[in-house]
Amino acid sequence: MSNIYESAANTLGLFNSPCLTKVELRVACKGISDRDALSKPDPCVILKMQSHGQWLEVDRTEIIRSSISPIFSKVFTVDFYFEEVQRLRFEVYDISSNHNGLKDADFLGGMECTLGQIVSQRKLSKSLLKHGNTAGKSSITVIAEELSGNDDYVELSFSARKLDDKDFFSKSDPFLEIFRINDDATQQLVHRTETVMNNLNPLWKTFKVSLNSLCSGDHDRKLKCIVWDWDSNGKHDFIGEYHTTFKEMRGAMDGRQVAIDFTASNGDPRNSCSLHYIHPYQPNEYLKALVAVGEICQDYDSDKMFPAFGFGARIPPDFKVSHDFAVNFNEDNPECAGIQGVVEAYQNCLPKIQLYGPTNIAPIIMKVANSASEEMHTKEAMQYFILLILTDGVITDMADTREAIVHASHLPMSVIIVGIGNADFSDMQMLDGDDGILRSPKGEPVLRDIVQFVPFRNFKHVCSGRLLLKSKEHLAEQLIKGDLDSSVVEMPQGKMRRRPRQEIASHRESLCSLDST
């Protein structure tokens, strides 16, 4: 790792990790019963931890209606200290559909143990006790899984089309269950979606899950997805199932690009006041922004190769202005190995070029739009493009840029603009569209709000993840769900990378543009 890259990463706190072991706990019960023998209970499990002699609630599962042997999809994530005795208590309640509180809920039994017992055994099963006595033949099982190997999280979104109608007087009420197939051929419930009532074309809510839970960090591990028609009596009707892998859901992830702005407005790189100034030990603003965004994105990239481009500079050998050149000067293979590779290519490139201009971003948007348009006409899984533009100031082709954005809003792509430095970014705010619907010079409105502007100066002194969290939610999700495989370094115009997306699981790509005016 280069010193400047490590310095940037340390400045942003990317290498700081808590000295803890995270543990995920999954819960299931068997044979639970209630006083009402005519109906099944609606069970929920409350997790409590003992602190200073008192039991404090940590979290609780979802409520499963009409079930005597529920398998809960809710995962408890707790910190495990092996040198400490951490006492846990699992309490099972029957919570009626009339309320979700515990005041009037029936206590069905509890179990006490230590977190160390669960972690050491990995699967702990014990009888449920009620007022000191065994609660019939009911039992609870807790499965522990440590997250020390890979604690990355992904966000997934599922939808279905033209499901079978299992109901006579209305449409099916579908929900989806995702199971991980373990090495011993057993199945582990990963997630259960909410039920979408009376709908044969459901779109379930996006959810976040750790890669450990989803596939034990193995992207080729088999996953089974089952769609059910929910029934109030707990006897859900089977609609259909299919098998897949996380790798398959993510799809092919080649083509993520980074674009860097090399226009003259950034200042002479030899001057310490320049945003492109290369200090032997301190990262400049472009490097900080590149590392902040890139470190987040590259974890979701399959091969960690980022095509990097620049815009707005005069380049050798003839020193003509280019808005689309490979930062490594290899037009046939502009890819860089990881974000560190992009940083190194950027450092090597800067002394060889002349910062120039203008800062035109319409060409790079149109270039990405052309690629996105081509994807829409392929028979393979569609890719979603995210163009990330890093620029220092006012763009000079506003009319063309507005036209390009309106056109791009009809395509599977989005644009994130990160403003570097302390310039006036009011034009960028207008492109963002938060204050009104962006329109082309001819008055045509955008179909979707696909642009998000983020001033880096507001986030460079806080956790790097907030740079994305402060972006619009749908763009942040695209960065997380998408697979960022290429990077585009744009001089005045940003280049982009693409990322594949399948029909039921969004997978996206991102591009980075850096402004060198």
Side-chain angles (χ1 to χ4, degrees):
M1 176 181 294
S2 63
N3 290 337
I4 197 72
Y5 175 82
E6 185 173 359
S7 177
N10 286 330
T11 300
L12 293 161
L14 296 173
F15 295 149
N16 297 331
S17 57
C19 300
L20 302 172
T21 298
K22 295 286 186 181
V23 177
E24 290 186 340
L25 304 179
R26 295 183 176 275
V27 183
C29 298
K30 282 188 177 181
I32 57 177
S33 59
D34 198 4
R35 291 175 298 181
D36 186 359
L38 299 179
S39 63
K40 297 177 182 178
D42 301 326
C44 172
V45 175
I46 311 294
L47 171 61
K48 295 183 177 180
M49 183 174 289
Q50 193 175 68
S51 176
H52 303 291
Q54 294 184 330
W55 290 106
L56 303 178
E57 179 176 337
V58 175
D59 206 347
R60 62 179 64 185
T61 68
E62 74 275 20
I63 302 170
I64 298 183
R65 301 298 178 189
S66 302
S67 179
I68 61 173
S69 298
I71 300 176
F72 299 94
S73 66
K74 168 69 178 182
V75 176
F76 297 128
T77 303
V78 296
D79 296 330
F80 173 54
Y81 302 88
F82 70 92
E83 73 279 9
E84 296 183 10
V85 177
Q86 297 170 267
R87 299 191 180 280
L88 305 180
R89 177 172 174 82
F90 297 85
E91 298 180 349
V92 184
Y93 289 88
D94 176 15
I95 299 182
S96 71
S97 57
N98 296 328
H99 58 82
N100 289 328
L102 298 180
K103 182 178 180 180
D104 300 319
D106 293 330
F107 177 65
L108 302 180
M111 182 270 285
E112 294 183 14
C113 63
T114 66
L115 182 55
Q117 287 177 308
I118 304 174
V119 172
S120 62
Q121 299 182 37
R122 295 193 176 182
K123 183 177 181 179
L124 177 65
S125 296
K126 297 183 70 174
S127 298
L128 287 172
L129 301 180
K130 191 173 182 180
H131 308 304
N133 300 316
T134 302
K137 297 180 180 180
S138 60
S139 64
I140 186 171
T141 298
V142 184
I143 298 175
E145 187 165 16
E146 296 185 49
L147 297 181
S148 55
N150 184 343
D151 58 358
D152 290 336
Y153 281 78
V154 295
E155 287 188 345
L156 300 175
S157 178
F158 287 79
S159 63
R161 297 284 184 88
K162 299 180 181 180
L163 296 177
D164 288 343
D165 193 352
K166 300 295 182 180
D167 296 332
F168 290 108
F169 302 106
S170 63
K171 297 178 181 178
S172 294
D173 306 316
F175 68 92
L176 174 71
E177 290 184 326
I178 301 125
F179 294 87
R180 179 187 74 201
I181 309 300
N182 298 320
D183 293 334
D184 60 0
T186 59
Q187 300 180 11
Q188 175 69 57
L189 177 64
V190 173
H191 182 78
R192 180 186 295 115
T193 70
E194 76 283 5
T195 300
V196 179
M197 304 300 290
N198 196 32
N199 195 325
L200 301 182
N201 300 291
L203 172 62
W204 291 287
K205 293 179 181 178
T206 297
F207 63 93
K208 184 162 67 172
V209 63
S210 72
L211 281 179
N212 275 74
S213 292
L214 181 65
C215 57
S216 299
D218 178 4
H219 294 192
D220 292 312
R221 182 176 296 278
K222 290 292 184 182
L223 304 173
K224 184 170 77 171
C225 302
I226 305 177
V227 179
W228 302 90
D229 172 30
W230 179 84
D231 284 327
S232 59
N233 60 7
K235 297 180 179 180
H236 312 305
D237 297 319
F238 174 80
I239 293 180
E241 69 176 56
Y242 68 95
H243 290 78
T244 186
T245 64
F246 178 60
K247 181 179 181 180
E248 184 181 17
M249 288 195 296
R250 290 179 63 178
M253 305 174 193
D254 342 333
R256 273 239 209 331
Q257 303 171 9
V258 173
I260 302 175
D261 178 355
F262 289 105
T263 52
S265 59
N266 289 281
D268 188 338
R270 295 168 295 183
N271 190 317
S272 61
C273 296
S274 171
L275 295 173
H276 280 302
Y277 177 65
I278 298 297
H279 189 281
Y281 305 110
Q282 298 296 324
N284 61 33
E285 295 298 278
Y286 274 91
L287 284 172
K288 290 179 182 178
L290 177 60
V291 172
V293 178
E295 283 290 337
I296 296 170
C297 297
Q298 73 172 359
D299 286 341
Y300 304 96
D301 189 315
S302 58
D303 62 3
K304 304 295 189 290
M305 299 299 294
F306 292 80
F309 298 84
F311 66 93
R314 285 178 166 177
I315 63 173
D318 54 9
F319 285 92
K320 290 183 179 180
V321 176
S322 173
H323 297 307
D324 178 7
F325 66 90
V327 174
N328 64 3
F329 296 113
N330 185 347
E331 298 298 335
D332 295 329
N333 183 18
E335 292 190 336
C336 302
I339 296 304
Q340 180 182 350
V342 177
V343 169
E344 293 172 351
Y346 166 77
Q347 290 178 291
N348 294 332
C349 164
L350 201 53
K352 302 175 183 178
I353 63 174
Q354 178 186 354
L355 305 194
Y356 206 69
T359 305
N360 297 337
I361 67 173
I364 187 60
I365 295 176
M366 291 188 292
K367 183 178 182 67
V368 174
N370 288 337
S371 298
S373 180
E374 292 175 1
E375 282 297 318
M376 294 185 67
H377 296 91
T378 64
K379 295 181 180 180
E380 300 177 357
M382 184 181 297
Q383 300 189 25
Y384 196 96
F385 294 75
I386 299 177
L387 172 59
L388 173 62
I389 301 177
L390 276 66
T391 182
D392 79 316
V394 179
I395 62 176
T396 53
D397 62 341
M398 177 58 73
D400 290 341
T401 296
R402 288 161 53 197
E403 185 76 36
I405 291 174
V406 169
H407 170 69
S409 69
H410 295 262
L411 301 170
M413 66 173 286
S414 293
V415 180
I416 297 178
I417 304 174
V418 178
I420 308 296
N422 297 312
D424 179 4
F425 292 120
S426 55
D427 283 349
M428 302 301 183
Q429 300 286 4
M430 183 185 75
L431 295 178
D432 189 296
D434 285 347
D435 297 329
I437 298 176
L438 179 69
R439 296 177 181 272
S440 72
K442 299 176 183 178
E444 181 185 358
V446 291
L447 181 65
R448 298 179 296 119
D449 180 8
I450 66 168
V451 177
Q452 172 63 40
F453 171 72
V454 181
F456 185 64
R457 62 191 177 215
N458 293 354
F459 304 98
K460 64 182 180 180
H461 297 303
V462 297
C463 173
S464 62
R466 289 186 60 193
L467 179 64
L468 295 183
L469 293 177
K470 286 294 184 179
S471 296
K472 287 182 180 174
E473 183 178 357
H474 70 283
L475 291 179
E477 290 176 356
Q478 287 163 1
L479 280 176
I480 297 172
K481 296 177 187 173
D483 192 351
L484 310 171
D485 211 30
S486 346
S487 50
V488 177
V489 180
E490 180 184 60
M491 303 321 211
Q493 308 158 348
K495 282 236 167 178
M496 81 162 273
R497 336 182 31 170
R498 353 177 262 178
R499 140 176 221 180
R501 175 182 66 176
Q502 294 190 357
E503 183 179 12
I504 60 170
S506 307
H507 302 299
R508 302 166 165 110
E509 288 196 328
S510 95
L511 307 171
C512 240
S513 291
L514 298 125
D515 178 4
S516 43
T517 51

